[in-house]
Amino acid sequence: MYDHGERFEKHGFYNLLVFLVIYIPLNAAIAIFYVLWCKVENFLIYFAAASVISAIAASASLVHYRRIFDQGLFGSLKHSSEECGWVGRNIPFVDLLPSGTQNFWAGSMYCRPEAITIKAFFDAEGVLQVDCGSHLDNIYVDILPETREWPLRDKAMWHKYNHLVLERSVRAQYNKDVPFAVNSTTQAVVVRCGSSSRIVTRVSPPVNSLPEYVPPTESDTRAAKNRKTTITQADFASIDSMQASKIRPNVIFLMLDAVSHRQFYRRLPKSAQALRTLHRPGIHRIYELYRYHSVGFSTDNNTRAMYIGEALATKPNPLPIWAYYRDRGYVTARVETGCDDWAKECVGNKFTSHAFSVGNRSLDYELTSPFCLPEYYPNVGNAYGNFKGPYSIKARCLYGRYVHEWAFDYLRQLRQEFRFNGRGKGKDHKPYMITATFLEGHEGTGEVLRTVDDSLSAFIEDIRDSGELENTVLIVGADHGLHMGLNFVYSQNGRIEHQNPFMAISVPEWLYQFSEDYQETFGFEKVSPFEANEQRLTTPLEMHHTFRVLSDWPQFDTENWSRSLFAAQKAGRTCEEAGIGADYCMCKHKTN
């Protein structure tokens, strides 16, 4: 057993745990085999016959799983001499294991409901309303701190961020006869009735009361030094689709940590089916990237590539992509379900001062504090334990519900607030950019991810039915595949999946048509950029330029456009050309 570069107290501990879990059953199986061999006449004949039958069934199943490995929403990865192919023998042995096999011994995958049903919400005046039924004498409210404005130094993982959330929370007794109001920036409270608790979230202050954001001159991402050749829609009067809406599109990115292309279909079948329903030509269309490839080992490298355009940060004070949106008039919001801060953990060492607040600079809303509570996030040791916390192999529960359900509640509130209170005409229109990170895929068994399927599919269906996708770009994707556990450690399939994360993008029809027309008029190839990129080697770096193009709309930087997913990327790209290091390349061209 080994941990592939991760420290023992992190992911490597899972490998030790798996070793211990396998060691005892394996020796027990050997002992049983020996006893049966001694006691049962002709046992070896029976055993050989059973083994042959099992081998035939397993072989037939593997043929099926190899066939569907590259399948997607509407098609599959097409094998050709022009494009790269997966390295080595890709045999998905892990698909032979029934769902739940790898962590059945860890307990139920369901959350036990709280003993007391709590009804609580903030009314239109911002007053908290609580109904605990007959339990009226012992109601308390923990007011969780608003973390958006905290400096980098306060957001260090494990022994800092979560402890400060607890220290800065305020507990008050609730009295239904006295209006219970909280600070206007408070996003979440915990209502406690006896031994039961419930999280109550809201979007505050209202979006229409946010002052116009003016970025600091020294870091304004709109500055001329940060831009190259800028094109406006007026330059393309000859393109028919330019008559489409010039209102800037909303952007939602749901980041599923450590979920490969195949793992998405393996564990999230309802969500896959929901994504298929988003393909409605004439309204909105969805595409996925079959050869989407990580540029590094872990979240750090791949999200840096997406959010700042570099797998290894080299520039001082790098602002994440959501700062670009806020500088251009977008309302920005972020949900972190792991009690960590992306900027602190991934680029914090590049900032000249840790007194600087990246959240205050780049976000209007942030929800993290509920996911720092000790009932979910360990307040001693570190967060990489196997039985508690955001990387646990057990169901991630908090107050009788899955942790991700609380996050989806807030996402629904954000969308409702932005749609109905942020809608305006002309310069008063406030588009929004939301990013949310879910960690259920980040654990060694690969089993916890299936708990997200109901909530994720419901979210997709809701945004489809709301009509938002007519002017919203929805991105559902991952940073990398699973980089721990039996499949990764022992099989080439696991290593391929590690470098082939899931990525699908839904675009409004008008944006699709413009991209098609622009490629036809100005592109080097007369092909559909979306259909071409589905089969070509793409990376988080192309995602970064896609985000940049959307933030600038209805203008765009021509270099960003040419490197985005709205333009057909070069056919037959190699890993080196795509910015993928040789140590991580799992898609290569065949040599004669």
Side-chain angles (χ1 to χ4, degrees):
M1 292 288 180
Y2 52 99
D3 64 8
H4 281 279
E6 295 292 343
R7 294 198 304 273
F8 176 79
E9 65 268 23
K10 290 190 177 182
H11 307 94
F13 185 68
Y14 173 76
N15 293 329
L16 175 65
L17 183 63
V18 168
F19 176 78
L20 295 176
V21 169
I22 292 175
Y23 180 78
I24 295 175
L26 181 61
N27 280 277
I30 293 173
I32 292 172
F33 179 89
Y34 179 77
V35 172
L36 291 174
W37 180 40
C38 295
K39 300 291 186 181
V40 178
E41 187 177 357
N42 298 322
F43 171 73
L44 291 180
I45 296 176
Y46 298 141
F47 180 78
S51 299
V52 169
I53 294 172
S54 298
I56 293 173
S59 298
S61 296
L62 285 174
V63 169
H64 166 71
Y65 290 125
R66 288 193 68 179
R67 181 178 60 82
I68 68 172
F69 179 81
D70 290 319
Q71 289 186 357
L73 297 175
F74 301 105
S76 66
L77 183 145
K78 297 178 181 178
H79 299 277
S80 70
S81 58
E82 184 179 46
E83 298 297 336
C84 63
W86 302 129
V87 175
R89 299 191 65 187
N90 183 16
I91 304 176
F93 290 107
V94 68
D95 280 313
L96 295 176
L97 300 176
S99 180
T101 299
Q102 295 190 69
N103 71 343
F104 71 92
W105 42 270
S108 173
M109 281 288 104
Y110 297 95
C111 297
R112 179 181 298 175
E114 296 286 86
I116 300 172
T117 300
I118 302 172
K119 298 178 181 179
F121 62 93
F122 285 99
D123 64 21
E125 284 70 43
V127 176
L128 181 66
Q129 304 292 339
V130 178
D131 180 4
C132 292
S134 59
H135 303 270
L136 301 176
D137 300 329
N138 194 25
I139 303 176
Y140 291 90
V141 178
D142 290 347
I143 305 170
L144 303 182
E146 195 270 343
T147 59
R148 182 183 65 87
E149 297 182 352
W150 288 12
L152 288 167
R153 65 182 174 222
D154 286 354
K155 291 189 170 183
M157 284 180 67
W158 302 349
H159 299 297
K160 187 78 175 211
Y161 200 178
N162 59 324
H163 288 182
L164 286 179
V165 167
L166 298 180
E167 291 173 12
R168 295 174 182 177
S169 296
V170 177
R171 175 166 292 187
Q173 189 161 15
Y174 179 83
N175 185 337
K176 66 180 181 65
D177 297 322
V178 179
F180 194 102
V182 297
N183 189 293
S184 63
T185 61
T186 297
Q187 304 299 306
V189 300
V190 180
V191 176
R192 302 188 185 276
C193 298
S195 61
S196 299
S197 302
R198 181 178 180 83
I199 296 171
V200 184
T201 57
R202 66 174 184 174
V203 178
S204 184
V207 66
N208 55 18
S209 69
L210 291 175
E212 181 179 356
Y213 181 72
V214 179
T217 303
E218 67 276 9
S219 65
D220 190 344
T221 63
R222 303 169 300 173
K225 64 183 178 64
N226 293 322
R227 303 177 64 81
K228 298 187 179 179
T229 305
T230 302
I231 303 298
T232 67
Q233 290 189 353
D235 296 308
F236 307 124
S238 62
I239 298 180
D240 293 339
S241 62
M242 290 322 304
Q243 302 306 315
S245 171
K246 294 183 180 181
I247 294 178
R248 293 170 295 173
N250 306 311
V251 180
I252 300 176
F253 178 35
L254 304 183
M255 210 283 279
L256 310 176
D257 194 1
V259 178
S260 70
H261 177 271
R262 174 62 186 138
Q263 182 74 340
F264 186 91
Y265 291 96
R266 184 185 288 133
R267 293 289 181 257
L268 302 172
K270 292 181 181 178
S271 300
Q273 182 56 38
L275 285 178
R276 291 186 179 95
T277 67
L278 301 190
H279 197 66
R280 297 181 173 182
I283 305 175
H284 41 74
R285 305 185 186 224
I286 189 166
Y287 293 90
E288 64 181 312
L289 306 177
Y290 294 104
R291 285 182 172 85
Y292 190 70
H293 198 300
S294 298
V295 295
F297 183 86
S298 64
T299 297
D300 295 7
N301 309 90
N302 294 296
T303 54
R304 277 195 293 258
M306 274 195 281
Y307 297 155
I308 67 170
E310 297 181 299
L312 298 175
T314 61
K315 302 172 184 177
N317 305 316
L319 291 175
I321 191 64
W322 40 93
Y324 287 75
Y325 284 82
R326 196 183 192 205
D327 288 359
R328 290 156 177 77
Y330 273 72
V331 182
T332 54
R334 183 161 175 81
V335 179
E336 291 273 10
T337 60
C339 192
D340 61 0
D341 179 75
W342 180 86
K344 168 62 179 174
E345 297 307 317
C346 295
V347 293
N349 62 339
K350 304 304 293 184
F351 283 86
T352 54
S353 172
H354 276 212
F356 180 70
S357 172
V358 177
N360 191 46
R361 170 64 180 83
S362 60
L363 292 170
D364 294 295
Y365 302 97
E366 177 179 87
L367 186 72
T368 304
S369 55
F371 311 114
C372 297
L373 296 171
E375 291 89 342
Y376 163 61
Y377 192 93
N379 61 353
V380 295
N382 64 54
Y384 287 91
N386 285 298
F387 298 107
K388 185 177 181 179
Y391 307 103
S392 167
I393 62 177
K394 301 179 64 176
R396 317 274 174 81
C397 300
L398 182 60
Y399 306 139
R401 302 177 74 200
Y402 293 123
V403 166
H404 61 258
E405 291 184 282
W406 301 114
F408 277 113
D409 282 352
Y410 188 66
L411 289 176
R412 176 183 51 78
Q413 292 172 323
L414 285 170
R415 289 172 44 229
Q416 183 175 8
E417 173 68 21
F418 296 165
R419 286 175 63 204
F420 297 109
N421 294 332
R423 182 178 294 171
K425 296 182 179 179
K427 66 178 182 179
D428 295 326
H429 170 70
K430 292 184 177 181
Y432 61 83
M433 195 272 190
I434 301 173
T435 58
T437 300
F438 298 89
L439 301 176
E440 280 77 5
H442 195 294
E443 52 86 27
T445 70
E447 302 285 1
V448 177
L449 181 63
R450 57 192 165 100
T451 65
V452 184
D453 203 17
D454 287 341
S455 294
L456 178 57
S457 60
F459 175 89
I460 295 168
E461 291 168 355
D462 182 55
I463 198 171
R464 176 201 64 200
D465 296 341
S466 71
E468 289 171 79
L469 292 180
E470 294 179 25
N471 199 51
T472 298
V473 175
L474 172 65
I475 304 170
V476 180
D479 48 354
H480 56 81
L482 195 56
H483 50 13
M484 65 187 93
L486 293 173
N487 194 40
F488 174 69
V489 171
Y490 290 116
S491 78
Q492 181 65 9
N493 166 261
R495 289 182 276 278
I496 290 171
E497 289 199 30
H498 170 224
Q499 295 297 331
N500 180 216
F502 180 79
M503 185 60 67
I505 305 174
S506 171
V507 296
E509 181 69 16
W510 58 264
L511 182 55
Y512 165 82
Q513 291 295 343
F514 174 78
S515 303
E516 294 278 311
D517 291 346
Y518 187 90
Q519 181 75 31
E520 176 69 23
T521 306
F522 300 103
F524 292 106
E525 290 183 273
K526 307 308 179 185
V527 296
S528 166
F530 297 100
E531 293 179 5
N533 289 334
E534 276 199 321
Q535 297 296 334
R536 295 180 180 179
L537 185 62
T538 54
T539 74
L541 294 169
E542 280 74 59
M543 284 303 309
H544 174 76
H545 292 287
T546 301
F547 282 129
R548 290 285 297 273
V549 166
L550 292 170
S551 71
D552 279 333
W553 194 267
Q555 304 179 84
F556 57 84
D557 180 297
T558 53
E559 180 174 332
N560 282 329
W561 183 274
S562 67
R563 298 181 65 185
S564 77
L565 295 171
F566 300 123
Q569 296 304 303
K570 178 185 173 184
R573 280 212 297 180
T574 64
C575 282
E576 183 178 4
E577 291 173 321
I580 303 166
D583 290 342
Y584 302 115
C585 182
M586 281 291 153
C587 197
K588 296 183 179 181
H589 292 79
K590 292 183 178 180
T591 56
N592 296 327

